[in-house]
Amino acid sequence: MASIIRGSDNFDSGSVGPSTTHGDVGTYLYGYFKINGATVASGASTSGSYIRAAGMGWNVGSDGYERCVRGDDVSKTGTWRFMGSMSTNISGRYPGGIWVRIS
């Protein structure tokens, strides 16, 4: 399909859409909130210093419960908004889900 150019809307000359560079504003991350036993409400925002990337693997601990295998222990930069809703009151558990960087 050919491009349609209207005024300065030359869509062939630059990138279209949000950044796909890891950690840029507008990118998403599957991660966890590194505050033990915390509650994170949908739409809450927080400093990236509390956010860690997570994996989607599962294992069974000695207590028999399945859990998400955490990934790195590297804090993220910027401010992030939680796109889910999760709570935990169990020691050693961290709420996780999808985050979007907003600044």
Side-chain angles (χ1 to χ4, degrees), residues 64-84:
Y65 290 102
E66 292 186 14
R67 62 187 61 91
C68 179
V69 176
R70 290 188 301 237
D72 66 29
D73 196 23
V74 178
S75 63
K76 306 306 169 203
T77 57
T79 302
W80 294 77
R81 176 167 290 129
F82 193 51
M83 303 304 282

Side-chain angles (χ1 to χ4, degrees), residues 30-34 50-54 70-73 94-96 99:
Y30 180 79
Y32 65 99
F33 185 66
K34 193 166 182 182
Y50 297 108
I51 309 300
R52 305 294 189 270
R70 290 188 301 237
D72 66 29
D73 196 23
Y94 304 95
W99 299 82

Side-chain angles (χ1 to χ4, degrees), residues 3-4 12-13 26 40 42 65 85:
S3 296
I4 299 173
D12 290 335
S13 65
V40 183
S42 182
Y65 290 102
S85 181

